[in-house]
Amino acid sequence: MASSLSSRSILNASKSRAAWARSSRFSTTATKNSALKERLAQLIPQQLERVKAVRAEHGAKSFGEVKVDQLYGGMRGLPALIWDGSVLDADEGIRFRGKTIPECQELLPKAPGGSEPLPEGLFWLLLTGEVPTQEQVAELSKDWAARAAIPSFVEELLDRCPPTLHPMSQFSLAVTALNHDSAFAKAYQDGISKKEYWGPTFEDSMDLIAKLPNIAGRIYRNVFGQGKLPAIDPSKDYSHNLATLLGFGDNEGFVELMRLYITIHSDHEGGNVSAHTGKLVGSALSDPFLAFGASLNGLAGPLHGLANQEVLLWLRKMQNKIGENASDEAVKEYVWSTLKGGQVVPGYGHAVLRKTDPRYTAQREFALKHLPDDPMFKLVGQIYNLVPGILLEAGKAKNPWPNVDAHSGVLLTYYGLTQMQFYTVLFGVSRAFGVAAQLIWDRALGAPLERPKSYSTAAIEKIFANK
Ligand SMILES: CC(=O)SCCNC(=O)CCNC(=O)[C@H](O)C(C)(C)COP(=O)(O)OP(=O)(O)OC[C@H]1O[C@@H](n2cnc3c(N)ncnc32)[C@H](O)[C@@H]1OP(=O)(O)O
Ligand SMILES: O=C([O-])CC(=O)C(=O)O
């Protein structure tokens, strides 16, 4: 009785959802059989065979020992996940499907007149391992523009948020609410076969990425009072549209920055907080909106994506305290006072990297080209010359070098996007690319529910009592 009641209420809910969708102005007009989806459909059987072969040959082999310290120490270095889009080397930094950032900058298609890679191409690369053609990338831009509208209830939800609610909380709320129209959730309720999971996951992922500029733009304009949101232009690329929705579409430098920014922040292998959270939540067959909403809540932490906001706050506080054009001695003293106050120097250190983050270097090169004389850029350079030495002297941080977040805020500030509380939203727009690509593959390869084993301290004491 209870189960028939609950299935009736699920049925009613899905009927009213369908009625709502018909009545709302939301509709997906995108190409359903895109070239990207067709290419994936060709690649999936090959990858299934490849994984089967790897497991048959190596499945029973050990990957090394696990130390008790790793359980207490945030699982550093623990081999625990499969993530195909990118791999992080401690010294060299990230490679997207085997390609470094400079290689991606060289090989991926560009906008006419532009010199930074289009993130559409990066998404294609993350998903297929292949560099797309200009035409394939242009089709993706059009597809995303066609899917960009957000349901009116999500617009209302955002419009009702108090401007004091952090932009990342608003972002996560809106992305989670997109689950209302999830193709995967609907297909699951309709009894889709496991073998078909990847199809609606692909559609949801494409919708997710496509709708992020409208969500980000609406949050920005609501919170910072920047006027009415313009429409998406189907003839423009994703980054150009994002820039337009934020009010910077006429600034070609900012548009180029968005292309670079979204490309380099997209993916950082699978163990970082936002990527792993998305994969974990997706493993329960929560749809991509629920999974990526969870990713965003992780990205919103100050030790992860929020560090780009923290860097700017820290720089501003420094300037208030010691003035602009401060001497090296004054900057050093300020850095030491941060450490002595028991705080971290934001933008420095990393859980895996042991050298300067190549994403930092890519942004520095962008700055050298577009804003070489900017005083904040010069301050970032001054800090780069001083902080690693101080962190080494302090003796705790395993990596004294800057990460991606040490540089991004200064570039945004230069172009007039000065509201630092918004910075992590842009990181989130980009991170959707990497998380979505892996969610699609996880469903295509039948990745199981994640459920590692945990231990209590008492259990560890007992295990090693007589050893
Ligand atoms: C996109 C990204 O997520 S990139 C990272 C963004 N985050 C930041 O920039 C925040 C500043 N950096 C940090 O807090 C750290 O370096 C993290 C969180 C990124 C990495 O953490 P871990 O892997 O634990 O670093 P590590 O093993 O080097 O930490 C050892 C000690 O050095 C400290 N440490 C590490 N980096 C810093 C730093 N930038 N400033 C001060 N202390 C630091 C740690 O807090 C830790 O102290 P504890 O022993 O008192 O707990
Ligand atoms: O790799 C990490 O742990 C953090 C990071 O730089 C990212 O997620 O971009």
Side-chain angles (χ1 to χ4, degrees):
M1 180 66 177
S3 76
S4 75
L5 258 185
S6 70
S7 46
R8 199 178 313 140
S9 61
I10 289 172
L11 204 67
N12 286 342
S14 90
K15 273 186 193 156
S16 56
R17 185 166 23 193
W20 184 91
R22 275 194 302 277
S23 69
S24 90
R25 69 177 187 76
F26 167 73
S27 69
T28 296
T29 47
T31 359
K32 285 288 177 190
N33 279 316
S34 65
L36 179 55
K37 196 173 184 184
E38 279 169 19
R39 184 67 191 125
L40 259 180
Q42 290 164 349
L43 292 172
I44 287 168
Q46 300 164 23
Q47 187 67 5
L48 274 166
E49 281 310 309
R50 190 173 166 200
V51 171
K52 210 166 131 191
V54 167
R55 293 189 70 171
E57 196 179 343
H58 307 296
K61 293 179 187 163
S62 167
F63 225 89
E65 59 178 346
V66 176
K67 296 225 166 75
V68 173
D69 262 349
Q70 288 178 294
L71 277 75
Y72 285 101
M75 297 181 279
R76 289 296 175 285
L78 193 77
L81 300 166
I82 292 294
W83 193 273
D84 281 319
S86 63
V87 175
L88 182 63
D89 179 85
D91 293 323
E92 187 194 50
I94 198 68
R95 277 180 185 259
F96 303 114
R97 290 281 186 170
K99 298 199 179 348
T100 61
I101 289 174
E103 284 165 357
C104 287
Q105 284 174 301
E106 192 198 324
L107 295 171
L108 293 177
K110 324 269 183 305
S115 54
E116 296 300 342
L118 289 167
E120 286 87 333
L122 196 268
F123 185 63
W124 188 292
L125 176 69
L126 288 175
L127 258 184
T128 65
E130 296 163 355
V131 173
T133 64
Q134 200 76 41
E135 293 68 37
Q136 287 167 330
V137 158
E139 190 196 315
L140 214 43
S141 301
K142 280 207 190 70
D143 194 344
W144 286 347
R147 295 170 187 259
I150 56 174
S152 49
F153 88 91
V154 177
E155 293 178 349
E156 284 159 27
L157 204 69
L158 288 173
D159 294 349
R160 289 173 74 100
C161 287
T164 44
L165 182 61
H166 194 280
M168 280 304 282
S169 311
Q170 300 194 30
F171 196 17
S172 147
L173 204 86
V175 165
T176 301
L178 290 178
N179 136 278
H180 185 278
D181 297 305
S182 163
F184 180 85
K186 181 175 183 314
Y188 192 85
Q189 289 306 325
D190 292 346
I192 189 176
S193 153
K194 281 181 179 186
K195 291 198 182 83
E196 309 299 331
Y197 283 173
W198 76 270
T201 303
F202 176 87
E203 295 302 334
D204 280 353
S205 296
M206 295 282 278
D207 280 346
L208 169 70
I209 292 172
K211 292 177 193 313
L212 297 180
N214 262 319
I215 294 176
R218 199 167 195 93
I219 294 170
Y220 183 66
R221 287 173 186 266
N222 280 353
V223 173
F224 304 108
Q226 303 289 320
K228 210 172 164 301
L229 199 65
I232 290 271
D233 180 346
S235 72
K236 294 281 193 294
D237 63 89
Y238 186 82
S239 312
H240 200 134
N241 272 315
L242 175 63
T244 301
L245 296 186
L246 298 174
F248 298 88
D250 294 337
N251 188 328
E252 194 45 42
F254 185 87
V255 174
E256 278 283 271
L257 174 62
M258 283 298 96
R259 292 173 183 140
L260 176 68
Y261 187 104
I262 296 174
T263 297
I264 64 176
H265 286 77
S266 60
D267 208 28
H268 218 231
E269 73 171 30
N272 68 75
V273 170
S274 49
H276 184 200
T277 304
K279 184 179 171 75
L280 167 70
V281 175
S283 85
L285 298 187
S286 306
D287 63 60
F289 305 109
L290 296 178
F292 189 64
S295 294
L296 286 175
N297 291 335
L299 195 69
L303 294 188
H304 189 24
L306 201 77
N308 59 9
Q309 163 188 314
E310 297 301 293
V311 166
L312 250 284
L313 285 170
W314 184 76
L315 291 178
R316 291 278 183 230
K317 274 194 212 151
M318 182 192 297
Q319 284 182 322
N320 285 340
K321 182 114 195 250
I322 62 176
E324 292 181 15
N325 303 314
S327 66
D328 284 358
E329 280 318 306
V331 172
K332 275 188 193 169
E333 204 178 307
Y334 187 81
V335 175
W336 275 113
S337 73
T338 301
L339 293 176
K340 285 178 186 155
Q343 294 156 33
V344 295
V345 178
Y348 279 76
H350 199 273
V352 178
L353 282 166
R354 294 295 175 257
K355 292 271 169 64
T356 295
D357 190 337
R359 299 171 296 178
Y360 176 96
T361 310
Q363 294 182 97
R364 180 173 164 75
E365 275 160 17
F366 184 94
L368 284 170
K369 183 171 166 194
H370 295 272
L371 46 134
D373 301 321
D374 178 60
M376 285 286 271
F377 170 52
K378 288 196 169 149
L379 177 59
V380 165
Q382 185 182 16
I383 288 167
Y384 179 75
N385 289 330
L386 302 174
V387 166
I390 296 173
L391 285 176
L392 281 175
E393 196 181 328
K396 282 215 292 187
K398 292 192 189 68
N399 175 33
W401 301 105
N403 60 59
V404 66
D405 293 323
H407 215 307
S408 50
V410 167
L411 301 179
L412 297 167
T413 303
Y414 170 78
Y415 287 107
L417 208 166
T418 53
Q419 300 87 352
M420 47 204 90
Q421 292 83 352
F422 187 74
Y423 291 171
T424 312
V425 173
L426 292 177
F427 195 156
V429 171
S430 169
R431 189 46 57 96
F433 286 55
V435 173
Q438 189 61 39
L439 284 172
I440 295 166
W441 272 109
D442 278 351
R443 300 294 77 76
L445 299 177
L449 178 88
E450 264 192 42
R451 206 319 186 174
K453 179 81 188 91
S454 66
Y455 290 84
S456 64
T457 293
I460 290 176
E461 285 168 342
K462 202 169 154 198
I463 290 168
F464 295 104
N466 300 315
K467 291 187 184 167

